[in-house]
Amino acid sequence: GAGVSQTPSNKVTEKGKYVELRCDPISGHTALYWYRQSLGQGPEFLIYFQGTGAADDSGLPNDRFFAVRPEGSVSTLKIQRTERGDSAVYLCASSKTGYGYTFGSGTRLTVV
Amino acid sequence: SQKIEQNSEALNIQEGKTATLTCNYTNYSPAYLQWYRQDPGRGPVFLLLIRENEKEKRKERLKVTFDTTLKQSLFHITASQPADSATYLCAPPAGGGADGLTFGKGTHLIIQP
């Protein structure tokens, strides 16, 4: 597609529930990144994929967070047993060269 | 640990003047640094990348400098316009062998007509 697409744009879930956030990167971009942004803060790195494999998942806060990219294009970020502290905007970005990321508009997750 | 600092206060500039935003980093030496613009409710948009061996980079009304001695990057917008109002994020690579970028908190720039 022309840009990075993230769905849903907004997600409200109850504490303890499971959520999935989807990212559709720019076609041909092998690098895909997930970031999390809280109000008034810069984006915080979560995980980086090069192709199908997670090349760096050091930013995932705990084992409730998991991400996949089975075919090297679309990626899904999965959060189990959501907590109120998980509320944030989750941003996905893709890149062809590893420089100059193209970001999606994000998914605003609210855990109530 | 690595730290990125940007002006935390909003920066108010009169239209037509030059806006200068500062990014300071400590405890590491990035090989390059990127600048992004972010509007409310949107993801960041890539503007410029400057490498450690480049003193200055320009793109239209934008200019970025990179001083590895001072551990500082300056981002300038000349002939500023109200449409330049946004949050500007400084982003060097994470360092320490990690992938991805480390973003500063950003500086909220307001260009007043």
Side-chain angles (χ1 to χ4, degrees):
Chain A
V4 176
S5 175
Q6 291 189 246
T7 54
S9 54
N10 278 285
K11 176 72 177 177
V12 180
T13 191
E14 291 181 348
K15 180 174 174 295
K17 298 287 188 185
Y18 167 83
V19 295
E20 289 189 352
L21 311 179
R22 176 188 167 109
C23 173
D24 200 341
I26 292 174
S27 178
H29 281 195
T30 56
L32 185 146
Y33 306 81
W34 283 99
Y35 282 79
R36 177 169 71 175
Q37 187 172 26
S38 300
L39 195 62
Q41 303 294 314
E44 173 194 6
F45 172 74
L46 295 177
I47 187 168
Y48 156 56
F49 286 91
Q50 182 59 247
T52 60
D56 183 353
D57 64 358
S58 61
L60 294 178
N62 52 59
D63 61 6
R64 295 186 297 104
F65 288 74
F66 189 71
V68 295
R69 195 185 185 198
E71 296 176 359
S73 54
V74 171
S75 175
T76 304
L77 179 66
K78 309 180 181 197
I79 310 175
Q80 299 178 321
R81 305 183 304 280
T82 51
E83 300 177 356
R84 292 199 179 88
D86 299 334
S87 297
V89 175
Y90 288 81
L91 293 164
C92 175
S94 70
S95 174
K96 195 169 187 179
T97 61
Y99 305 112
Y101 300 174
T102 301
F103 279 87
S105 291
T107 294
R108 180 176 298 278
L109 176 66
T110 304
V111 182
V112 297
Chain B
S1 63
Q2 295 146 5
K3 195 174 177 185
I4 313 298
E5 290 184 351
Q6 294 187 253
N7 314 59
S8 56
E9 305 281 328
L11 186 62
N12 284 271
I13 299 291
Q14 196 70 31
E15 181 178 6
K17 302 289 187 185
T18 296
T20 298
L21 285 63
T22 304
C23 174
N24 295 300
Y25 56 92
T26 53
N27 297 330
Y28 77 134
S29 299
Y32 63 88
L33 196 146
Q34 303 187 29
W35 282 88
Y36 287 77
R37 168 185 172 140
Q38 188 171 25
D39 291 283
R42 311 291 295 181
V45 173
F46 172 71
L47 296 174
L48 281 167
L49 180 153
I50 186 166
R51 300 183 188 281
E52 61 182 341
N53 62 346
E54 297 174 314
K55 289 283 194 281
E56 180 180 297
K57 199 81 166 278
R58 290 177 185 262
K59 179 182 174 182
E60 297 172 354
R61 294 184 296 110
L62 309 180
K63 184 178 87 170
V64 173
T65 61
F66 194 7
D67 189 325
T68 55
T69 302
L70 291 178
K71 292 188 179 292
Q72 180 180 81
S73 177
L74 298 179
F75 178 85
H76 307 270
I77 305 176
T78 58
S80 58
Q81 304 166 1
D84 296 327
S85 299
T87 295
Y88 291 85
L89 299 160
C90 164
D99 294 295
L101 300 173
T102 300
F103 284 86
K105 288 185 180 181
T107 297
H108 184 41
L109 176 65
I110 301 166
I111 307 297
Q112 295 175 334

